[in-house]
Amino acid sequence: LTKGVIIGGQINNTEEIINILKEFKTNLKLNYIKMSLPEEKAYLFTAKIPVVGKDEIRSAVESKMEENVPVSPLELTLDYKLFEREEKDLIDVVVSALPISLVDLYVDIAEKAELSLLSLEMESQAITRAILSAGATGTSLIVNFSPEKVGLYVSYARVVRFTSTISTKGEYSN
């Protein structure tokens, strides 16, 4: 990518991204893609919800949004993963929330590149799934070094439960 096309997870030149994807489509004979969304734009939190019926889980998760995310839930799309607990009256939930406008942008880019989008997932989760074996259990710390940032991802059973992204770019004077 040309410098400045993506900065801090923000796409600044969608046309260049679309053209690159079209080139990949032609050269690699791609029709389907999975895209990862920038960690810097996501909200990730864990919470405990009461044991409820399947049709009530989403509203129980949504009830935890206001206390964990500084953006209106109406502006976000969310996904979650449930974990059983030893305490039978509560369920652990790992929630990832992203701005709807960001998701729409990525969907639009895929469509304009004439590629069928199979999935969107947070960068940290995509990396975790790619490097940990399918049967991995226990806790892992993944350190993702990029040219302008370092991502620290803590996962349990291949599900990211905590992330921190540290910018490594900056100007230093002597």
Side-chain angles (χ1 to χ4, degrees), residues 41-108:
K41 304 294 182 184
Y43 300 96
L44 178 77
F45 66 91
T46 58
K48 293 172 182 43
I49 60 171
V51 175
V52 293
K54 284 187 179 185
D55 57 337
E56 299 172 60
I57 292 173
R58 186 166 184 93
S59 64
V61 170
E62 288 173 346
S63 72
K64 298 294 182 178
M65 293 289 288
E66 190 172 317
E67 63 193 71
N68 289 285
V69 180
V71 177
S72 167
L74 299 175
E75 298 175 32
L76 301 170
T77 183
L78 65 93
D79 192 19
Y80 58 88
K81 177 80 174 157
L82 303 174
F83 288 90
E84 296 286 327
R85 292 180 47 90
E86 288 181 22
E87 300 170 39
K88 297 297 181 197
D89 58 332
L90 294 173
I91 300 171
D92 279 339
V93 60
V94 177
V95 181
S96 55
L98 291 141
I100 293 169
S101 59
L102 178 72
V103 172
D104 288 347
L105 174 64
Y106 276 69
V107 169
D108 187 53

Side-chain angles (χ1 to χ4, degrees), residues 143-171:
V143 181
N144 176 27
F145 290 96
S146 299
E148 296 183 348
K149 66 182 179 181
V150 175
L152 303 172
Y153 315 139
V154 177
S155 72
Y156 175 75
R158 294 183 76 212
V159 175
V160 176
R161 290 182 168 243
F162 173 81
T163 69
S164 182
T165 302
I166 303 161
S167 175
T168 57
K169 73 175 194 171
E171 298 182 30

Side-chain angles (χ1 to χ4, degrees), residues 1-14:
L1 296 175
T2 306
K3 188 174 182 173
V5 170
I6 300 176
I7 297 175
Q10 178 68 42
I11 296 176
N12 297 315
N13 186 338
T14 56

